[in-house]
Amino acid sequence: MKQRLLFLGPPGAGKGTQAQRLAASHGLLHLSTGDLLRAEIQAGSELGRQVEAVMARGELVSDDLVLAIVRNRLEHHHQGWLLDGFPRNLAQAKALDQLLSELDQRIERVVLMELDDAVLIQRLLSRGRADDNEQVIRHRLEVYRQQTAPLIAHYRELGLLSAVEAAGSVEEIATRISALLLD
Ligand code: AMP
């Protein structure tokens, strides 16, 4: 199976759920920048307070900050990994390419999870996270469309992209994803 993976898709598509599952069953490092940023908030640091305000608005935190987080983890991890929620824009994607070439590693597959907006909004509303109220959700979807969706073409051109329909049960979606990662 492919060991160095990137999960892409709008908020609410189920990236976190699927990433966690796959990482656990295949011994991959699950690197979720959203989870790491939330941990920073929990820790109550000054950085955490700044991150909290940005996240509550549904904006992206600075590229330098997330990149430092990712660099720190990947530098010390040479086995398989699964990036979830990063990169979020083209600048991050380019910085990731640079970092990986320094580390002599490369992305083996990008999994794009696709789902209709109406379903995404319903899922996010039922999740009840601090940044999951309707106004912020709509803004996060807009940020996704403008900043993150251009990565689809980027990774498609590199021949790395596989899209999966993210509707159905957790099991069904997991089966679809596994089928894309064989060999
Ligand atoms: P997520 O858990 O991936 O939905 O991320 C929640 C929030 O964390 C986002 O709305 C952003 O504010 C922030 N965040 C997570 N990952 C990134 C990233 N790669 N770049 C910038 N901001 C991020």
Side-chain angles (χ1 to χ4, degrees), residues 10-12 115-126 134 137-138 141 145:
L115 198 61
D116 289 345
D117 273 13
V119 186
L120 292 173
I121 291 170
Q122 273 320 308
R123 276 199 193 173
L124 290 168
L125 282 173
S126 67
E134 186 152 359
I137 288 171
R138 289 193 187 280
L141 286 171
R145 255 181 236 109

Side-chain angles (χ1 to χ4, degrees), residues 1 3-4 14-15 18 23 30 38 46 50 53 78 86 105 109 119 138 140 144 155 158 162 167 171-172 179:
M1 198 195 80
Q3 297 285 313
R4 289 174 177 160
K15 297 184 298 296
Q18 294 295 334
H30 175 204
R38 280 183 287 277
E46 174 51 32
Q50 292 168 20
H78 296 274
F86 174 90
Q105 300 187 25
R109 181 72 83 224
V119 186
R138 289 193 187 280
R140 277 161 54 210
Y144 173 77
Y155 288 116
L158 293 173
S162 298
E171 277 298 326
E172 285 164 349

Side-chain angles (χ1 to χ4, degrees), residues 33-53 55 128-131:
T33 46
D35 285 352
L36 293 169
L37 291 168
R38 280 183 287 277
E40 201 62 51
I41 295 173
Q42 282 300 319
S45 63
E46 174 51 32
L47 180 66
R49 273 189 286 280
Q50 292 168 20
V51 165
E52 188 169 24
M55 221 190 246
R129 215 168 69 187
D131 54 348

Side-chain angles (χ1 to χ4, degrees), residues 94-164:
K94 290 191 176 136
L96 175 62
D97 284 348
Q98 171 69 36
L99 170 63
L100 291 178
S101 73
E102 274 173 43
L103 299 177
D104 201 20
Q105 300 187 25
R106 62 186 185 84
I107 300 166
E108 294 173 337
R109 181 72 83 224
V110 177
V111 176
L112 170 65
M113 297 184 64
E114 296 182 305
L115 198 61
D116 289 345
D117 273 13
V119 186
L120 292 173
I121 291 170
Q122 273 320 308
R123 276 199 193 173
L124 290 168
L125 282 173
S126 67
R127 194 166 68 173
R129 215 168 69 187
D131 54 348
D132 283 342
N133 70 69
E134 186 152 359
Q135 197 188 347
V136 176
I137 288 171
R138 289 193 187 280
H139 186 60
R140 277 161 54 210
L141 286 171
E142 194 56 35
V143 169
Y144 173 77
R145 255 181 236 109
Q146 291 188 356
Q147 302 194 44
T148 311
L151 298 182
I152 297 170
H154 174 74
Y155 288 116
R156 186 176 284 130
E157 277 158 27
L158 293 173
L160 291 173
L161 195 84
S162 298
V164 69

